[in-house]
Amino acid sequence: MKLFDVYPLNDITIVKAQGSYVWDDKDQKYLDLYGGHAVISIGHTHPHYVKRLEDQLHKVGFYSNSIKIPLQVQLAEKLGKVSGKEDYQLFLCSSGAEANENALKLASFYNGRKKIIAFTKAFHGRTSLAVAATDNPSIVAPVNQTDNVLFLPFNDEAALEAAFKKEEICAVIIEGIQGVGGINVASASFLQKIRALCDQYNAVFIADSVQCGYGRTGKFYSHDHAGVNADIYSMAKGMGNGFPVAGISIAPKFAPKYSMLGTTFGGNHLACAAALSVLEIMDMDSLMENAAEIGDYLITELKKLPKIKEVRGKGLMIGIDLPEELKDVKKNLLFKHKIFTGEAKPNVIRLLPALNIGKAEADMFLDALKKELNA
């Protein structure tokens, strides 16, 4: 059997990782400023994380949600404290798409409606309704197509207000900062408008925090920069530092009932141990503060460089928009300078490093980028 060939691969095999660095099978060292799509939040193979998982594996790795799992209660309590949403409720699952799927489903259960507002360049996942709310027709199969999703221009308050007046809206789903879409930041006033309209029309405000959440922007959820609370926050990526774990944080107004939502692997013992260790390390090492500090430094220095069209983002979620003639910069950063970064089409370099990255690593990247821009 062969692998189903759906990923364009770099000819690199990573065999070891530590902190913000990875090594290939030829013992070549790379600086990792992408963390596998914003997944590595506390650095590779953090000793506390490794010990937490190892200790748990010696006890019990998995049992279903048919029994009490005290680790789930501990995770909910810790997540409430670190995120500042202690009165919310936690439902655990395994991926960002699954989190968004359950968020949209819960919204529809809540008000009995069907129409979802999403936005241009949105990416919410690859499962049925999550992909229907993703602005990329090439990954939406015919069976996923629905008239229940309305795409509006990002940050367009007038279009948003008009849609609410015209349709009976179930929910609005929005990334506080669009990741795949190119690091586009939702304005504070736009998020505040969503909150006000959802309150006015009894719709549900879903904050997709899968990539832009979990402390990456200097606040726990990037939507927090707008000073409003969403009704549901979806989380994944950085939540388990590489272990598949995800969830939705649900406002008190939503009443649960048996079998409303469900999952096989969500909230298993190992997943909870991984997620707890991430929150513990974020707390102990003040990683949100570090994300804000190093992120501000990077953004400030990047804005001084020539030839860059625009620098966007907050904290350690940064997009560097380059002109067409510099389309090879990302490739050169990897193969000439041994630095992993991400991209968003057509020509945006995405920086999504671990939240404990240091200034030395930031400078290493800036020096390499300067060389490429001046080449």
Side-chain angles (χ1 to χ4, degrees):
M1 183 184 291
K2 295 192 301 182
L3 293 175
F4 197 52
D5 188 9
V6 293
Y7 300 114
L9 301 176
N10 293 306
D11 189 17
I12 298 171
T13 303
I14 299 301
V15 297
K16 185 175 73 171
Q18 186 173 20
S20 289
Y21 295 93
V22 296
W23 288 259
D24 68 15
D25 54 357
K26 301 175 182 63
D27 206 33
Q28 174 63 58
K29 183 179 180 181
Y30 298 80
L31 174 60
D32 183 12
L33 298 186
Y34 194 52
H37 309 303
V39 166
I40 301 301
S41 51
I42 55 168
H44 295 280
T45 60
H46 192 291
H48 179 73
Y49 173 83
V50 172
K51 188 173 190 309
R52 254 300 200 164
L53 279 169
E54 185 179 313
D55 288 351
Q56 187 58 47
L57 196 54
H58 286 295
K59 298 173 185 173
V60 54
F62 174 84
Y63 206 79
S64 76
N65 286 298
S66 62
I67 48 94
K68 289 183 178 180
I69 302 178
L71 284 167
Q72 292 184 354
V73 178
Q74 294 171 34
L75 176 56
E77 290 174 349
K78 184 69 174 176
L79 178 60
K81 287 177 183 173
V82 177
S83 69
K85 308 283 190 286
E86 292 189 72
D87 58 342
Y88 279 53
Q89 307 158 88
L90 179 63
F91 174 78
L92 291 162
C93 50
S94 301
S95 73
E98 191 184 355
N100 282 330
E101 199 82 21
N102 279 290
L104 290 162
K105 186 176 180 181
L106 183 58
S108 188
F109 275 135
Y110 170 74
N111 56 27
R113 302 174 191 165
K114 297 180 180 179
K115 287 285 184 182
I116 306 296
I117 290 176
F119 298 95
T120 52
K121 295 190 176 182
F123 187 95
H124 298 296
R126 293 177 181 269
T127 54
S128 181
L129 187 51
V131 80
T134 290
D135 186 23
N136 183 353
S138 69
I139 65 170
V140 181
V143 72
N144 301 131
Q145 292 170 359
T146 175
D147 294 330
N148 289 328
V149 179
L150 175 64
F151 287 100
L152 299 181
F154 195 64
N155 277 334
D156 188 331
E157 295 181 27
L160 182 70
E161 197 150 7
F164 268 93
K165 289 177 180 176
K166 183 180 177 183
E167 304 276 2
E168 191 177 41
I169 301 301
C170 169
V172 179
I173 184 167
I174 185 170
E175 301 154 271
I177 302 176
Q178 292 182 331
V180 176
I183 314 297
N184 304 305
V185 181
S187 70
S189 64
F190 192 59
L191 295 174
Q192 290 160 7
K193 175 66 74 172
I194 291 171
R195 178 69 277 168
L197 288 168
C198 284
D199 286 341
Q200 182 179 345
Y201 290 92
N202 194 33
V204 176
F205 180 176
I206 300 172
D208 181 338
S209 301
V210 169
Q211 188 170 131
C212 60
Y214 246 76
R216 178 153 295 283
T217 64
K219 292 187 179 290
F220 195 83
Y221 300 115
S222 67
H223 305 72
D224 291 342
H225 289 280
V228 294
N229 286 322
D231 297 310
I232 304 173
Y233 296 87
S234 58
M235 302 161 281
K237 295 196 184 295
M239 190 173 182
N241 202 52
F243 198 98
V245 55
I248 52 175
S249 184
I250 306 161
K253 69 182 184 183
F254 295 88
K257 64 179 181 180
Y258 291 154
S259 302
M260 176 187 268
L261 305 176
T263 176
T264 296
F265 296 108
N268 68 72
H269 296 75
L270 276 176
C272 288
L276 273 164
S277 75
V278 167
L279 290 170
E280 288 159 359
I281 293 161
M282 285 177 66
D283 208 7
M284 289 186 298
D285 296 345
S286 303
L287 294 193
M288 283 192 280
E289 291 83 349
N290 188 69
E293 181 183 337
I294 301 297
D296 286 349
Y297 172 70
L298 274 166
I299 289 170
T300 299
E301 294 303 309
L302 285 166
K303 286 182 176 179
K304 297 175 184 177
L305 300 183
K307 301 180 183 177
I308 293 173
K309 289 168 64 177
E310 189 179 10
V311 178
R312 299 187 292 268
K314 289 184 189 296
L316 292 175
M317 187 170 185
I318 301 170
I320 305 163
D321 201 342
L322 297 174
E324 173 63 21
E325 61 266 24
L326 294 176
K327 59 182 173 58
D328 291 331
V329 167
K330 178 186 175 293
K331 181 178 70 174
N332 292 341
L333 285 168
L334 178 56
F335 291 104
K336 286 171 56 179
H337 302 278
K338 311 305 179 188
I339 299 175
F340 275 97
T341 61
E343 71 175 341
K345 302 297 183 185
N347 210 19
V348 177
I349 291 176
R350 282 196 285 163
L351 301 184
L352 298 161
L355 306 187
N356 52 7
I357 188 176
K359 187 171 179 290
E361 286 75 26
D363 285 335
M364 194 181 304
F365 168 73
L366 289 168
D367 289 343
L369 182 60
K370 287 173 188 175
K371 288 175 183 173
E372 285 305 309
L373 296 179
N374 293 325

